Amino acid sequence: MTNAKPTDLAESITWYADLATRRENTSRQALVDAVTAGRQVDSYILKPVMEDQAKAQLWRQVTLRMEKAGAAKALESVREECTDLLLDRGESQSTCAITNETHRLARDAARTFLKETRRMG
């Protein structure tokens, strides 16, 4: 991946997807390093992985759909799913705090994705 600014929609999607994946891999490696070093696993170590994973997952969905539907339709379909997630689902009410946080981070990732892609397409 280069640092050059993408010139078309497919390039933009690929650029953002690569960036999100690199961030996810970096936070995962930090978690691995912490666990390997015997550090206590707590929310300060786990949360960045969960955040980056939620963000990268949306970009992975777009890139996978691009192969069949093209860039514009792939982006549109994931944007619609993000909108539905934010409009149709309330706060998670699980008895598991990690599940609730995972769902909250998915909603945050959807908001970020919608903002980042607002002018794409």
Side-chain angles (χ1 to χ4, degrees), residues 54-55 57-58 61 76-92 99-114:
K55 291 175 183 176
Q57 179 58 30
L58 295 170
Q61 288 177 17
E76 180 183 344
S77 70
V78 175
R79 285 183 53 81
E80 286 175 4
E81 289 175 12
C82 287
T83 302
D84 290 345
L85 172 69
L86 294 171
L87 295 177
D88 296 341
R89 297 187 194 160
E91 297 292 318
S92 177
T99 297
N100 291 336
E101 185 65 4
T102 300
H103 292 166
R104 187 189 70 75
L105 292 172
R107 289 188 306 277
D108 284 352
R111 278 185 207 91
T112 299
F113 182 83
L114 288 170

Side-chain angles (χ1 to χ4, degrees), residues 26-52:
T26 298
S27 62
R28 284 179 187 268
Q29 187 59 53
L31 174 63
V32 168
D33 293 346
V35 170
T36 302
R39 289 183 42 208
Q40 179 178 343
V41 176
D42 59 18
S43 62
Y44 295 106
I45 293 173
L46 198 52
K47 187 176 178 184
V49 177
M50 294 169 65
E51 288 173 331
D52 291 338

